[in-house]
PDB file of all heavy atoms in Angstrom:
ATOM      1  N   LYS A   7       5.709  -6.075   1.624  1.00 90.00           N
ATOM      2  CA  LYS A   7       5.578  -7.439   1.211  1.00 90.00           C
ATOM      3  C   LYS A   7       4.209  -7.700   0.567  1.00 90.00           C
ATOM      4  O   LYS A   7       3.209  -7.145   1.053  1.00 90.00           O
ATOM      5  CB  LYS A   7       5.763  -8.396   2.397  1.00 90.00           C
ATOM      6  CG  LYS A   7       7.216  -8.574   2.768  1.00 90.00           C
ATOM      7  CD  LYS A   7       7.371  -9.862   3.554  1.00 90.00           C
ATOM      8  CE  LYS A   7       8.209  -9.584   4.808  1.00 90.00           C
ATOM      9  NZ  LYS A   7       8.188 -10.681   5.742  1.00 90.00           N
ATOM     10  N   VAL A  62     -18.081  -5.826  23.497  1.00 97.00           N
ATOM     11  CA  VAL A  62     -18.460  -7.195  23.921  1.00 97.00           C
ATOM     12  C   VAL A  62     -19.175  -7.191  25.258  1.00 97.00           C
ATOM     13  O   VAL A  62     -20.281  -7.716  25.384  1.00 97.00           O
ATOM     14  CB  VAL A  62     -17.193  -8.099  23.975  1.00 97.00           C
ATOM     15  CG1 VAL A  62     -17.511  -9.388  24.638  1.00 97.00           C
ATOM     16  CG2 VAL A  62     -16.655  -8.326  22.575  1.00 97.00           C
ATOM     17  N   VAL A  66     -23.390  -7.850  26.046  1.00 96.00           N
ATOM     18  CA  VAL A  66     -23.798  -8.829  27.056  1.00 96.00           C
ATOM     19  C   VAL A  66     -24.674  -8.143  28.133  1.00 96.00           C
ATOM     20  O   VAL A  66     -25.692  -8.653  28.536  1.00 96.00           O
ATOM     21  CB  VAL A  66     -22.558  -9.499  27.696  1.00 96.00           C
ATOM     22  CG1 VAL A  66     -22.896 -10.219  28.953  1.00 96.00           C
ATOM     23  CG2 VAL A  66     -21.928 -10.443  26.670  1.00 96.00           C
ATOM     24  N   MET A  69     -28.263  -7.581  27.361  1.00 97.00           N
ATOM     25  CA  MET A  69     -29.173  -8.728  27.433  1.00 97.00           C
ATOM     26  C   MET A  69     -29.901  -8.752  28.757  1.00 97.00           C
ATOM     27  O   MET A  69     -30.879  -9.500  28.934  1.00 97.00           O
ATOM     28  CB  MET A  69     -28.363 -10.034  27.306  1.00 97.00           C
ATOM     29  CG  MET A  69     -27.716 -10.221  25.951  1.00 97.00           C
ATOM     30  SD  MET A  69     -26.819 -11.774  25.909  1.00 97.00           S
ATOM     31  CE  MET A  69     -26.020 -11.623  24.333  1.00 97.00           C
ATOM     32  N   HIS A  70     -29.413  -7.976  29.789  1.00 97.00           N
ATOM     33  CA  HIS A  70     -30.057  -8.015  31.064  1.00 97.00           C
ATOM     34  C   HIS A  70     -30.566  -6.666  31.531  1.00 97.00           C
ATOM     35  O   HIS A  70     -31.387  -6.583  32.415  1.00 97.00           O
ATOM     36  CB  HIS A  70     -29.023  -8.521  32.125  1.00 97.00           C
ATOM     37  CG  HIS A  70     -28.467  -9.876  31.819  1.00 97.00           C
ATOM     38  ND1 HIS A  70     -29.167 -11.022  32.077  1.00 97.00           N
ATOM     39  CD2 HIS A  70     -27.331 -10.238  31.226  1.00 97.00           C
ATOM     40  CE1 HIS A  70     -28.446 -12.079  31.671  1.00 97.00           C
ATOM     41  NE2 HIS A  70     -27.320 -11.598  31.180  1.00 97.00           N
ATOM     42  N   HIS A  84     -29.705  -6.119  39.564  1.00 96.00           N
ATOM     43  CA  HIS A  84     -29.998  -7.545  39.239  1.00 96.00           C
ATOM     44  C   HIS A  84     -28.801  -8.149  38.538  1.00 96.00           C
ATOM     45  O   HIS A  84     -28.391  -9.257  38.846  1.00 96.00           O
ATOM     46  CB  HIS A  84     -31.230  -7.562  38.344  1.00 96.00           C
ATOM     47  CG  HIS A  84     -31.464  -8.878  37.656  1.00 96.00           C
ATOM     48  ND1 HIS A  84     -31.416  -9.025  36.301  1.00 96.00           N
ATOM     49  CD2 HIS A  84     -31.719 -10.110  38.169  1.00 96.00           C
ATOM     50  CE1 HIS A  84     -31.610 -10.286  35.996  1.00 96.00           C
ATOM     51  NE2 HIS A  84     -31.819 -10.968  37.087  1.00 96.00           N
ATOM     52  N   ARG A  87     -26.104  -8.774  41.200  1.00 96.00           N
ATOM     53  CA  ARG A  87     -26.361  -9.743  42.251  1.00 96.00           C
ATOM     54  C   ARG A  87     -26.727 -11.126  41.712  1.00 96.00           C
ATOM     55  O   ARG A  87     -26.311 -12.136  42.279  1.00 96.00           O
ATOM     56  CB  ARG A  87     -27.538  -9.243  43.097  1.00 96.00           C
ATOM     57  CG  ARG A  87     -27.132  -8.094  44.004  1.00 96.00           C
ATOM     58  CD  ARG A  87     -28.309  -7.276  44.417  1.00 96.00           C
ATOM     59  NE  ARG A  87     -27.841  -6.032  44.973  1.00 96.00           N
ATOM     60  CZ  ARG A  87     -27.548  -5.848  46.302  1.00 96.00           C
ATOM     61  NH1 ARG A  87     -27.726  -6.837  47.117  1.00 96.00           N
ATOM     62  NH2 ARG A  87     -27.066  -4.714  46.716  1.00 96.00           N
ATOM     63  N   ASP A  88     -27.565 -11.184  40.667  1.00 95.00           N
ATOM     64  CA  ASP A  88     -28.150 -12.467  40.309  1.00 95.00           C
ATOM     65  C   ASP A  88     -27.665 -13.066  38.984  1.00 95.00           C
ATOM     66  O   ASP A  88     -27.658 -14.294  38.853  1.00 95.00           O
ATOM     67  CB  ASP A  88     -29.680 -12.343  40.241  1.00 95.00           C
ATOM     68  CG  ASP A  88     -30.299 -12.155  41.636  1.00 95.00           C
ATOM     69  OD1 ASP A  88     -29.646 -12.610  42.586  1.00 95.00           O
ATOM     70  OD2 ASP A  88     -31.367 -11.583  41.736  1.00 95.00           O
ATOM     71  N   VAL A  89     -27.306 -12.211  38.054  1.00 96.00           N
ATOM     72  CA  VAL A  89     -26.899 -12.755  36.726  1.00 96.00           C
ATOM     73  C   VAL A  89     -25.525 -13.437  36.927  1.00 96.00           C
ATOM     74  O   VAL A  89     -24.649 -12.962  37.637  1.00 96.00           O
ATOM     75  CB  VAL A  89     -26.760 -11.623  35.703  1.00 96.00           C
ATOM     76  CG1 VAL A  89     -26.103 -12.109  34.438  1.00 96.00           C
ATOM     77  CG2 VAL A  89     -28.151 -11.005  35.452  1.00 96.00           C
ATOM     78  N   ASN A  90     -25.371 -14.590  36.288  1.00 95.00           N
ATOM     79  CA  ASN A  90     -24.125 -15.328  36.386  1.00 95.00           C
ATOM     80  C   ASN A  90     -22.956 -14.464  35.878  1.00 95.00           C
ATOM     81  O   ASN A  90     -22.982 -14.009  34.745  1.00 95.00           O
ATOM     82  CB  ASN A  90     -24.177 -16.592  35.519  1.00 95.00           C
ATOM     83  CG  ASN A  90     -25.302 -17.503  36.000  1.00 95.00           C
ATOM     84  OD1 ASN A  90     -25.322 -17.973  37.136  1.00 95.00           O
ATOM     85  ND2 ASN A  90     -26.268 -17.751  35.115  1.00 95.00           N
ATOM     86  N   ALA A  91     -21.935 -14.249  36.760  1.00 95.00           N
ATOM     87  CA  ALA A  91     -20.800 -13.416  36.453  1.00 95.00           C
ATOM     88  C   ALA A  91     -21.180 -11.971  36.074  1.00 95.00           C
ATOM     89  O   ALA A  91     -20.386 -11.259  35.525  1.00 95.00           O
ATOM     90  CB  ALA A  91     -19.928 -14.033  35.344  1.00 95.00           C
ATOM     91  N   PHE A  94     -18.941  -9.169  37.293  1.00 97.00           N
ATOM     92  CA  PHE A  94     -17.688  -9.061  36.562  1.00 97.00           C
ATOM     93  C   PHE A  94     -17.897  -8.268  35.261  1.00 97.00           C
ATOM     94  O   PHE A  94     -17.134  -7.358  34.944  1.00 97.00           O
ATOM     95  CB  PHE A  94     -17.147 -10.472  36.296  1.00 97.00           C
ATOM     96  CG  PHE A  94     -16.112 -10.532  35.226  1.00 97.00           C
ATOM     97  CD1 PHE A  94     -14.897  -9.914  35.363  1.00 97.00           C
ATOM     98  CD2 PHE A  94     -16.353 -11.236  34.038  1.00 97.00           C
ATOM     99  CE1 PHE A  94     -13.943  -9.975  34.365  1.00 97.00           C
ATOM    100  CE2 PHE A  94     -15.415 -11.288  33.038  1.00 97.00           C
ATOM    101  CZ  PHE A  94     -14.198 -10.646  33.218  1.00 97.00           C
ATOM    102  N   ILE A  95     -18.974  -8.633  34.557  1.00 97.00           N
ATOM    103  CA  ILE A  95     -19.179  -7.981  33.260  1.00 97.00           C
ATOM    104  C   ILE A  95     -19.518  -6.518  33.450  1.00 97.00           C
ATOM    105  O   ILE A  95     -19.028  -5.642  32.737  1.00 97.00           O
ATOM    106  CB  ILE A  95     -20.302  -8.727  32.541  1.00 97.00           C
ATOM    107  CG1 ILE A  95     -19.898 -10.188  32.274  1.00 97.00           C
ATOM    108  CG2 ILE A  95     -20.640  -8.054  31.200  1.00 97.00           C
ATOM    109  CD1 ILE A  95     -21.061 -11.099  31.990  1.00 97.00           C
ATOM    110  N   GLU A 234      13.854   1.035   2.763  1.00 91.00           N
ATOM    111  CA  GLU A 234      13.431  -0.197   3.417  1.00 91.00           C
ATOM    112  C   GLU A 234      14.121  -0.365   4.767  1.00 91.00           C
ATOM    113  O   GLU A 234      13.544  -0.913   5.706  1.00 91.00           O
ATOM    114  CB  GLU A 234      13.726  -1.410   2.533  1.00 91.00           C
ATOM    115  CG  GLU A 234      13.098  -2.671   3.095  1.00 91.00           C
ATOM    116  CD  GLU A 234      13.213  -3.838   2.132  1.00 91.00           C
ATOM    117  OE1 GLU A 234      13.725  -3.651   1.024  1.00 91.00           O
ATOM    118  OE2 GLU A 234      12.812  -4.945   2.530  1.00 91.00           O
ATOM    119  N   PRO A 239       8.395  -4.995   9.112  1.00 93.00           N
ATOM    120  CA  PRO A 239       7.022  -5.370   8.879  1.00 93.00           C
ATOM    121  C   PRO A 239       6.222  -5.308  10.203  1.00 93.00           C
ATOM    122  O   PRO A 239       6.769  -5.657  11.254  1.00 93.00           O
ATOM    123  CB  PRO A 239       7.068  -6.815   8.372  1.00 93.00           C
ATOM    124  CG  PRO A 239       8.540  -7.122   8.143  1.00 93.00           C
ATOM    125  CD  PRO A 239       9.329  -6.123   8.885  1.00 93.00           C
ATOM    126  N   TYR A 243       6.919  -7.865  14.219  1.00 94.00           N
ATOM    127  CA  TYR A 243       7.634  -6.966  15.128  1.00 94.00           C
ATOM    128  C   TYR A 243       6.690  -6.184  16.012  1.00 94.00           C
ATOM    129  O   TYR A 243       6.861  -6.183  17.273  1.00 94.00           O
ATOM    130  CB  TYR A 243       8.507  -5.990  14.312  1.00 94.00           C
ATOM    131  CG  TYR A 243       9.691  -6.762  13.712  1.00 94.00           C
ATOM    132  CD1 TYR A 243       9.641  -7.261  12.440  1.00 94.00           C
ATOM    133  CD2 TYR A 243      10.823  -7.003  14.510  1.00 94.00           C
ATOM    134  CE1 TYR A 243      10.710  -8.001  11.930  1.00 94.00           C
ATOM    135  CE2 TYR A 243      11.892  -7.705  14.004  1.00 94.00           C
ATOM    136  CZ  TYR A 243      11.846  -8.202  12.713  1.00 94.00           C
ATOM    137  OH  TYR A 243      12.890  -8.945  12.227  1.00 94.00           O
TER     138      TYR A 243
ATOM    139  N   MET B   1      14.941  -9.968   2.941  1.00 40.00           N
ATOM    140  CA  MET B   1      14.921  -9.283   4.236  1.00 40.00           C
ATOM    141  C   MET B   1      16.143  -9.600   5.039  1.00 40.00           C
ATOM    142  O   MET B   1      16.544 -10.747   5.180  1.00 40.00           O
ATOM    143  CB  MET B   1      13.669  -9.701   5.034  1.00 40.00           C
ATOM    144  CG  MET B   1      12.397  -9.008   4.633  1.00 40.00           C
ATOM    145  SD  MET B   1      12.422  -7.262   4.908  1.00 40.00           S
ATOM    146  CE  MET B   1      12.679  -7.133   6.677  1.00 40.00           C
ATOM    147  N   SER B   3      16.484  -9.440   8.229  1.00 46.00           N
ATOM    148  CA  SER B   3      16.237 -10.191   9.462  1.00 46.00           C
ATOM    149  C   SER B   3      16.174 -11.684   9.184  1.00 46.00           C
ATOM    150  O   SER B   3      16.514 -12.484  10.003  1.00 46.00           O
ATOM    151  CB  SER B   3      14.909  -9.702  10.083  1.00 46.00           C
ATOM    152  OG  SER B   3      13.865  -9.985   9.225  1.00 46.00           O
ATOM    153  N   GLU B   4      15.682 -12.043   7.976  1.00 45.00           N
ATOM    154  CA  GLU B   4      15.493 -13.428   7.700  1.00 45.00           C
ATOM    155  C   GLU B   4      16.869 -14.143   7.561  1.00 45.00           C
ATOM    156  O   GLU B   4      17.062 -15.247   8.075  1.00 45.00           O
ATOM    157  CB  GLU B   4      14.696 -13.631   6.436  1.00 45.00           C
ATOM    158  CG  GLU B   4      13.205 -13.532   6.689  1.00 45.00           C
ATOM    159  CD  GLU B   4      12.414 -13.466   5.422  1.00 45.00           C
ATOM    160  OE1 GLU B   4      12.994 -13.661   4.346  1.00 45.00           O
ATOM    161  OE2 GLU B   4      11.202 -13.189   5.510  1.00 45.00           O
ATOM    162  N   VAL B  36     -12.123 -15.889  29.544  1.00 93.00           N
ATOM    163  CA  VAL B  36     -13.039 -14.750  29.495  1.00 93.00           C
ATOM    164  C   VAL B  36     -14.339 -15.136  28.784  1.00 93.00           C
ATOM    165  O   VAL B  36     -15.414 -14.646  29.153  1.00 93.00           O
ATOM    166  CB  VAL B  36     -12.379 -13.562  28.762  1.00 93.00           C
ATOM    167  CG1 VAL B  36     -13.357 -12.454  28.456  1.00 93.00           C
ATOM    168  CG2 VAL B  36     -11.242 -13.018  29.597  1.00 93.00           C
ATOM    169  N   PRO B  39     -17.422 -16.934  31.253  1.00 94.00           N
ATOM    170  CA  PRO B  39     -18.468 -16.129  31.915  1.00 94.00           C
ATOM    171  C   PRO B  39     -19.353 -15.415  30.904  1.00 94.00           C
ATOM    172  O   PRO B  39     -20.559 -15.187  31.214  1.00 94.00           O
ATOM    173  CB  PRO B  39     -17.680 -15.113  32.770  1.00 94.00           C
ATOM    174  CG  PRO B  39     -16.281 -15.156  32.247  1.00 94.00           C
ATOM    175  CD  PRO B  39     -16.087 -16.532  31.680  1.00 94.00           C
ATOM    176  N   LEU B  40     -18.808 -15.007  29.774  1.00 94.00           N
ATOM    177  CA  LEU B  40     -19.660 -14.271  28.791  1.00 94.00           C
ATOM    178  C   LEU B  40     -20.708 -15.207  28.209  1.00 94.00           C
ATOM    179  O   LEU B  40     -21.763 -14.740  27.764  1.00 94.00           O
ATOM    180  CB  LEU B  40     -18.774 -13.715  27.673  1.00 94.00           C
ATOM    181  CG  LEU B  40     -17.802 -12.587  28.078  1.00 94.00           C
ATOM    182  CD1 LEU B  40     -16.996 -12.117  26.896  1.00 94.00           C
ATOM    183  CD2 LEU B  40     -18.569 -11.430  28.706  1.00 94.00           C
ATOM    184  N   ASN B  42     -21.761 -18.037  30.026  1.00 94.00           N
ATOM    185  CA  ASN B  42     -22.536 -18.476  31.214  1.00 94.00           C
ATOM    186  C   ASN B  42     -23.567 -17.454  31.645  1.00 94.00           C
ATOM    187  O   ASN B  42     -24.594 -17.772  32.212  1.00 94.00           O
ATOM    188  CB  ASN B  42     -21.579 -18.735  32.357  1.00 94.00           C
ATOM    189  CG  ASN B  42     -22.245 -19.395  33.531  1.00 94.00           C
ATOM    190  OD1 ASN B  42     -23.225 -20.137  33.350  1.00 94.00           O
ATOM    191  ND2 ASN B  42     -21.821 -19.088  34.725  1.00 94.00           N
ATOM    192  N   GLN B  43     -23.343 -16.179  31.331  1.00 94.00           N
ATOM    193  CA  GLN B  43     -24.276 -15.159  31.776  1.00 94.00           C
ATOM    194  C   GLN B  43     -25.666 -15.361  31.173  1.00 94.00           C
ATOM    195  O   GLN B  43     -26.648 -14.840  31.699  1.00 94.00           O
ATOM    196  CB  GLN B  43     -23.774 -13.728  31.453  1.00 94.00           C
ATOM    197  CG  GLN B  43     -23.358 -13.495  30.002  1.00 94.00           C
ATOM    198  CD  GLN B  43     -24.486 -13.068  29.099  1.00 94.00           C
ATOM    199  OE1 GLN B  43     -25.527 -12.628  29.537  1.00 94.00           O
ATOM    200  NE2 GLN B  43     -24.265 -13.220  27.813  1.00 94.00           N
ATOM    201  N   MET B  44     -25.740 -16.138  30.083  1.00 94.00           N
ATOM    202  CA  MET B  44     -27.069 -16.331  29.468  1.00 94.00           C
ATOM    203  C   MET B  44     -27.847 -17.436  30.179  1.00 94.00           C
ATOM    204  O   MET B  44     -29.062 -17.585  29.922  1.00 94.00           O
ATOM    205  CB  MET B  44     -26.913 -16.638  27.991  1.00 94.00           C
ATOM    206  CG  MET B  44     -26.618 -15.377  27.200  1.00 94.00           C
ATOM    207  SD  MET B  44     -26.174 -15.633  25.476  1.00 94.00           S
ATOM    208  CE  MET B  44     -27.690 -16.121  24.752  1.00 94.00           C
ATOM    209  N   ASN B  45     -27.214 -18.213  31.048  1.00 93.00           N
ATOM    210  CA  ASN B  45     -27.948 -19.219  31.807  1.00 93.00           C
ATOM    211  C   ASN B  45     -28.887 -18.556  32.783  1.00 93.00           C
ATOM    212  O   ASN B  45     -28.721 -17.383  33.145  1.00 93.00           O
ATOM    213  CB  ASN B  45     -26.972 -20.096  32.556  1.00 93.00           C
ATOM    214  CG  ASN B  45     -26.465 -21.246  31.696  1.00 93.00           C
ATOM    215  OD1 ASN B  45     -27.266 -21.866  30.989  1.00 93.00           O
ATOM    216  ND2 ASN B  45     -25.173 -21.516  31.715  1.00 93.00           N
ATOM    217  N   PRO B  46     -29.936 -19.290  33.288  1.00 91.00           N
ATOM    218  CA  PRO B  46     -30.860 -18.674  34.233  1.00 91.00           C
ATOM    219  C   PRO B  46     -30.136 -18.060  35.422  1.00 91.00           C
ATOM    220  O   PRO B  46     -29.226 -18.650  35.983  1.00 91.00           O
ATOM    221  CB  PRO B  46     -31.742 -19.836  34.660  1.00 91.00           C
ATOM    222  CG  PRO B  46     -31.654 -20.846  33.574  1.00 91.00           C
ATOM    223  CD  PRO B  46     -30.274 -20.680  32.985  1.00 91.00           C
ATOM    224  N   SER B  47     -30.525 -16.817  35.799  1.00 92.00           N
ATOM    225  CA  SER B  47     -29.893 -16.124  36.876  1.00 92.00           C
ATOM    226  C   SER B  47     -30.435 -16.626  38.223  1.00 92.00           C
ATOM    227  O   SER B  47     -31.452 -17.344  38.260  1.00 92.00           O
ATOM    228  CB  SER B  47     -30.073 -14.646  36.712  1.00 92.00           C
ATOM    229  OG  SER B  47     -31.425 -14.336  36.649  1.00 92.00           O
ATOM    230  N   ALA B  48     -29.810 -16.215  39.307  1.00 91.00           N
ATOM    231  CA  ALA B  48     -30.122 -16.719  40.629  1.00 91.00           C
ATOM    232  C   ALA B  48     -31.587 -16.452  40.993  1.00 91.00           C
ATOM    233  O   ALA B  48     -32.224 -17.298  41.631  1.00 91.00           O
ATOM    234  CB  ALA B  48     -29.199 -16.082  41.650  1.00 91.00           C
ATOM    235  N   ASP B  49     -32.107 -15.298  40.609  1.00 88.00           N
ATOM    236  CA  ASP B  49     -33.510 -14.999  40.973  1.00 88.00           C
ATOM    237  C   ASP B  49     -34.506 -15.883  40.208  1.00 88.00           C
ATOM    238  O   ASP B  49     -35.530 -16.259  40.723  1.00 88.00           O
ATOM    239  CB  ASP B  49     -33.826 -13.520  40.754  1.00 88.00           C
ATOM    240  CG  ASP B  49     -33.548 -13.065  39.325  1.00 88.00           C
ATOM    241  OD1 ASP B  49     -32.610 -13.609  38.737  1.00 88.00           O
ATOM    242  OD2 ASP B  49     -34.256 -12.203  38.841  1.00 88.00           O
ATOM    243  N   VAL B  50     -34.136 -16.245  38.964  1.00 87.00           N
ATOM    244  CA  VAL B  50     -34.995 -17.136  38.211  1.00 87.00           C
ATOM    245  C   VAL B  50     -34.958 -18.537  38.810  1.00 87.00           C
ATOM    246  O   VAL B  50     -35.999 -19.160  38.987  1.00 87.00           O
ATOM    247  CB  VAL B  50     -34.555 -17.182  36.730  1.00 87.00           C
ATOM    248  CG1 VAL B  50     -35.305 -18.231  35.945  1.00 87.00           C
ATOM    249  CG2 VAL B  50     -34.736 -15.838  36.078  1.00 87.00           C
ATOM    250  N   LEU B  51     -33.773 -19.013  39.164  1.00 85.00           N
ATOM    251  CA  LEU B  51     -33.658 -20.342  39.776  1.00 85.00           C
ATOM    252  C   LEU B  51     -34.383 -20.374  41.106  1.00 85.00           C
ATOM    253  O   LEU B  51     -34.905 -21.409  41.497  1.00 85.00           O
ATOM    254  CB  LEU B  51     -32.168 -20.671  39.960  1.00 85.00           C
ATOM    255  CG  LEU B  51     -31.382 -20.859  38.680  1.00 85.00           C
ATOM    256  CD1 LEU B  51     -29.926 -21.108  38.987  1.00 85.00           C
ATOM    257  CD2 LEU B  51     -31.955 -22.018  37.853  1.00 85.00           C
TER     258      LEU B  51
END
Side-chain angles (χ1 to χ4, degrees):
Chain A
K7 281 200 228 169
V62 169
V66 166
M69 295 181 186
H70 302 281
H84 166 245
R87 288 157 194 271
D88 289 335
V89 172
N90 300 299
F94 162 65
I95 298 160
E234 188 173 357
Y243 288 95
Chain B
M1 280 297 298
S3 64
E4 277 169 10
V36 170
L40 293 179
N42 188 32
Q43 53 86 20
M44 284 172 70
N45 275 317
S47 57
D49 56 326
V50 172
L51 294 175

